[in-house]
């Protein structure tokens, strides 16, 4: 669980590059008519966007970890 908390606490440092690279390569593959590869890259960019959105909604690094910890304790224990 410590790895998940670390990733949640530092979401902008990995999710923003994921968004940028996924969108860029998705667009390039879309222009080359490789639809499946483009959709996969855009899905990765959407995942990064959703993670940053959750991070902002939760209120920052400490609150994000608290919400994930509550979710885990409620549903998996």
């Amino acid at each position: 669980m410590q790895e998940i908390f670390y990733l949640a606490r530092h979401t902008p440092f990995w999710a923003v590059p994921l968004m940028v690279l996924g969108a860029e390569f998705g667009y390039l593959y879309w222009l080359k008519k490789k639809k499946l590869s483009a959709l996969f890259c855009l899905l990765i960019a959407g995942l990064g966007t959703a993670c940053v959105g959750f991070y902002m909604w939760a209120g920052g690094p400490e609150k994000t970890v608290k919400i994930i910890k509550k979710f885990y304790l409620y549903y998996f224990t």
Side-chain angles (χ1 to χ4, degrees):
M1 275 314 286
Q2 294 299 323
E3 293 85 7
I4 302 296
F5 295 152
Y6 180 82
L7 286 175
R9 185 172 287 125
H10 301 292
T11 297
F13 296 107
W14 61 266
V16 172
L18 199 69
M19 292 178 349
V20 171
L21 290 173
E24 182 178 351
F25 281 106
Y27 180 67
L28 288 175
Y29 284 133
W30 189 266
L31 290 177
K32 292 180 180 181
K33 306 289 187 213
K34 297 182 186 245
K35 303 289 186 195
L36 189 61
S37 297
L39 290 176
F40 178 72
C41 289
L42 293 174
L43 178 72
I44 296 295
L47 176 70
T49 304
C51 289
V52 170
F54 174 72
Y55 181 85
M56 290 172 56
W57 173 79
E62 299 303 320
K63 291 181 182 177
T64 303
V65 171
K66 286 181 184 178
I67 289 173
I68 291 173
K69 192 179 292 187
K70 284 182 185 177
F71 177 80
Y72 178 77
L73 290 175
Y74 184 75
Y75 285 108
F76 297 110
T77 58

